[in-house]
Amino acid sequence: MAFKVIKENVLKDNDRVAKMVREDLKKNKVLMINVIASPGAGKTLFLEKAGMSLKNAGISFEILTGDCFTSRDAERLDAAGLPVVQINTGNACHIDAGLVKKALEEVRLDEKDLIIIENVGNLVCPAEFDVGEDFKVAFLSTTEGHDKPIKYPLLVKISNLAIINKIDLLQYVDFDMSFFEECIHKVNSALQIMKISSKTGDGIDNFVGWIKDKIKMKKENVE
Amino acid sequence: MAFKVIKENVLKDNDRVAKMVREDLKKNKVLMINVIASPGAGKTLFLEKAGMSLKNAGISFEILTGDCFTSRDAERLDAAGLPVVQINTGNACHIDAGLVKKALEEVRLDEKDLIIIENVGNLVCPAEFDVGEDFKVAFLSTTEGHDKPIKYPLLVKISNLAIINKIDLLQYVDFDMSFFEECIHKVNSALQIMKISSKTGDGIDNFVGWIKDKIKMKKENVE
């Protein structure tokens, strides 16, 4: 019982900070999305590709990239000419609202349209923390298997978009796309599913289109 | 600071229970290993294949399979004729010593040589919890990329064996095995690395040989 109460308090503190972050973003009309995936699902390559397209589309954004240790992802994104702030969590398995608030102190929000959070590789804990984002994105990959949506349902339940990456490997792995879609919709019946390959670039345009729509809605203050 | 103290207390309580589990296993001369991996790294297929080999070698074992929700893995292992106890963690991202202790109440330890824990898919939190095991196994896969050992160093640091799965996909993914080995040994210079494919069965025999050695040592009470 003690642990449950402690956890509730930790989440309550987090929610208080998340609210502050959300208000700050609202004031500046900046959209924030939180991308959550397993280790090695291909988040960073995806952000390299999507980031280039967003840049070419004239969208002003910042990537907050989370990792326990190392700044390898930030270095990759920086080398690709993309604006990035590294968040190191140490042995913590998720990014919380406090870390996002601190990272945003490095960002001129009044000059941005969009903040993209690349969370720590983990399907469980990051799903529990509101960090002030507008949307959570469940980012999965074909090599992880088609049953992950029902094995890690919280993430699917609270996400506003599901991305299935590595469709270029479909012919080499045992992955049943219909079953995957069925699993997603069993947990979250209305969830939009986007099929992409960060490697080939397939589907990246759909994601950029989705983001542009959401930025427009945020600027127009449509809830 | 408050959160750090809370975490220390949670870990202290856990360690007390882990000690009880370890003493019980020692009394019964039963080896226990704790397999830790990302979601979709291929733990369950690996345990199906390795479990069949262990069974054929006359080793008496039980698999404790952890998942947030569903009993899909337990059903798969049971269908393969393997002895399994399901541990559901709800939204918790790891198996702790208390869950292992409870699961072991379902097992006749005096009739077993080996307990295999299949942890919740997560590279971060499960590495922090001693559950009374003799050895932790870091179970990675080629599709996750070659840099995971330095991005999730705690797991590599505290593991006694590293397995790299899905070597059958090496030709389709950007994975540099030398760099992977270098990353492993940067964190844990003496760690043994085993290359396997659960799909083709390559390397499973090496793992079974390793386990047989460790069981022998445990029975002979070699520390």
Side-chain angles (χ1 to χ4, degrees):
Chain A
M1 267 319 276
F3 187 62
K4 204 179 158 216
V5 174
I6 289 163
K7 194 173 163 187
E8 273 168 10
N9 286 342
V10 169
L11 287 173
K12 219 161 122 185
D13 279 351
N14 179 78
D15 288 352
R16 195 178 43 79
V17 181
K19 204 177 160 195
M20 291 162 67
V21 171
R22 188 166 279 118
E23 278 166 10
D24 216 16
L25 291 167
K26 193 177 177 184
K27 199 177 67 189
N28 288 283
K29 297 191 175 183
V30 177
L31 181 78
M32 183 159 82
I33 65 163
N34 183 2
V35 182
I36 299 175
S38 293
K43 288 182 295 302
T44 309
L45 184 59
F46 168 70
L47 291 178
E48 273 180 56
K49 295 284 176 84
M52 294 310 293
S53 297
L54 289 166
K55 207 175 163 181
N56 293 337
I59 291 165
S60 173
F61 64 97
E62 187 90 25
I63 300 169
L64 314 183
T65 185
D67 241 320
C68 296
F69 298 96
T70 88
S71 50
R72 283 181 62 84
D73 293 347
E75 285 159 22
R76 274 175 64 183
L77 295 166
D78 183 58
L82 302 173
V84 59
V85 176
Q86 176 74 50
I87 299 176
N88 280 127
T89 61
N91 282 326
C93 53
H94 61 274
I95 291 176
D96 63 17
L99 287 170
V100 170
K101 190 168 182 298
K102 211 172 159 197
L104 287 180
E105 286 168 11
E106 312 291 322
V107 180
R108 285 283 307 260
L109 276 186
D110 58 335
E111 293 176 356
K112 300 289 178 185
D113 306 308
L114 170 69
I115 305 292
I116 304 174
I117 298 171
E118 180 187 5
N119 221 305
V120 176
N122 182 341
L123 294 185
V124 189
C125 318
E128 293 192 65
F129 285 79
D130 177 12
V131 297
E133 73 280 76
D134 294 279
F135 301 109
K136 283 192 173 75
V137 177
F139 189 96
L140 300 157
S141 65
T142 60
T143 53
E144 293 165 56
H146 45 224
D147 61 354
K148 293 305 161 287
I150 49 173
K151 293 182 76 174
Y152 301 90
L154 179 63
L155 173 61
V156 175
K157 201 171 162 190
I158 48 90
S159 286
N160 308 85
L161 174 66
I163 291 179
I164 176 76
N165 188 28
K166 305 193 188 179
I167 56 167
D168 52 293
L169 292 176
L170 270 174
Q171 57 186 307
Y172 308 117
V173 293
D174 300 320
F175 185 92
D176 179 340
M177 188 62 86
S178 306
F179 183 72
F180 173 78
E181 292 175 318
E182 203 179 288
C183 287
I184 289 267
H185 292 140
K186 209 175 262 179
V187 181
N188 186 340
S189 61
L191 191 60
Q192 183 182 348
I193 302 170
M194 227 171 249
K195 297 169 194 175
I196 68 156
S197 164
S198 298
K199 200 169 181 179
T200 65
D202 267 2
I204 298 285
D205 283 354
N206 289 343
F207 173 75
V208 172
W210 183 85
I211 279 283
K212 283 164 94 172
D213 269 1
K214 301 299 181 195
I215 289 174
K216 193 164 171 273
M217 284 166 75
K218 182 89 181 202
K219 296 225 181 280
E220 291 167 356
N221 253 323
V222 178
E223 294 292 325
Chain B
M1 269 315 279
F3 187 60
K4 205 180 158 217
V5 174
I6 289 163
K7 193 173 163 185
E8 274 167 10
N9 287 343
V10 168
L11 287 173
K12 219 162 122 185
D13 279 351
N14 179 77
D15 288 352
R16 197 178 42 79
V17 181
K19 204 179 159 193
M20 292 163 65
V21 170
R22 187 165 281 118
E23 278 165 10
D24 216 15
L25 291 167
K26 194 179 177 183
K27 199 178 66 188
N28 288 283
K29 297 191 175 183
V30 177
L31 180 78
M32 184 160 82
I33 65 165
N34 182 1
V35 181
I36 300 175
S38 294
K43 288 182 295 304
T44 310
L45 185 58
F46 167 69
L47 290 179
E48 273 181 56
K49 295 284 176 86
M52 293 311 292
S53 297
L54 289 166
K55 207 175 164 183
N56 293 337
I59 291 165
S60 172
F61 63 96
E62 188 89 26
I63 300 169
L64 314 183
T65 186
D67 241 320
C68 295
F69 299 96
T70 85
S71 51
R72 284 181 60 84
D73 293 347
E75 284 159 22
R76 274 175 64 184
L77 294 166
D78 184 58
L82 302 173
V84 59
V85 177
Q86 177 74 51
I87 299 176
N88 280 127
T89 62
N91 281 327
C93 53
H94 61 274
I95 291 177
D96 63 16
L99 287 170
V100 170
K101 189 168 182 299
K102 211 172 159 198
L104 287 180
E105 287 168 11
E106 310 292 320
V107 180
R108 285 282 307 259
L109 276 186
D110 58 334
E111 294 176 356
K112 300 289 178 185
D113 306 308
L114 169 69
I115 304 292
I116 304 174
I117 298 171
E118 180 186 5
N119 221 306
V120 176
N122 183 341
L123 294 185
V124 189
C125 319
E128 293 193 64
F129 285 79
D130 177 12
V131 296
E133 72 280 75
D134 294 279
F135 300 110
K136 283 192 172 75
V137 176
F139 189 97
L140 300 157
S141 65
T142 60
T143 52
E144 292 165 56
H146 44 224
D147 62 355
K148 294 305 161 286
I150 51 173
K151 293 181 76 175
Y152 302 90
L154 178 64
L155 173 61
V156 174
K157 202 170 162 191
I158 48 91
S159 285
N160 307 85
L161 174 67
I163 291 179
I164 177 75
N165 187 27
K166 304 193 188 179
I167 56 167
D168 54 292
L169 292 177
L170 270 173
Q171 58 185 306
Y172 308 116
V173 293
D174 300 322
F175 185 92
D176 179 340
M177 187 62 84
S178 305
F179 183 71
F180 173 78
E181 291 174 321
E182 203 179 288
C183 288
I184 290 267
H185 291 139
K186 209 175 260 177
V187 180
N188 186 342
S189 60
L191 191 60
Q192 183 182 349
I193 302 170
M194 227 172 250
K195 298 169 192 171
I196 68 156
S197 164
S198 299
K199 200 168 181 180
T200 66
D202 268 1
I204 298 284
D205 284 353
N206 289 341
F207 173 75
V208 172
W210 182 86
I211 280 283
K212 283 164 94 172
D213 269 2
K214 301 300 182 195
I215 290 175
K216 193 163 169 273
M217 285 165 75
K218 183 89 180 203
K219 296 226 181 276
E220 292 167 355
N221 253 322
V222 179
E223 293 293 326

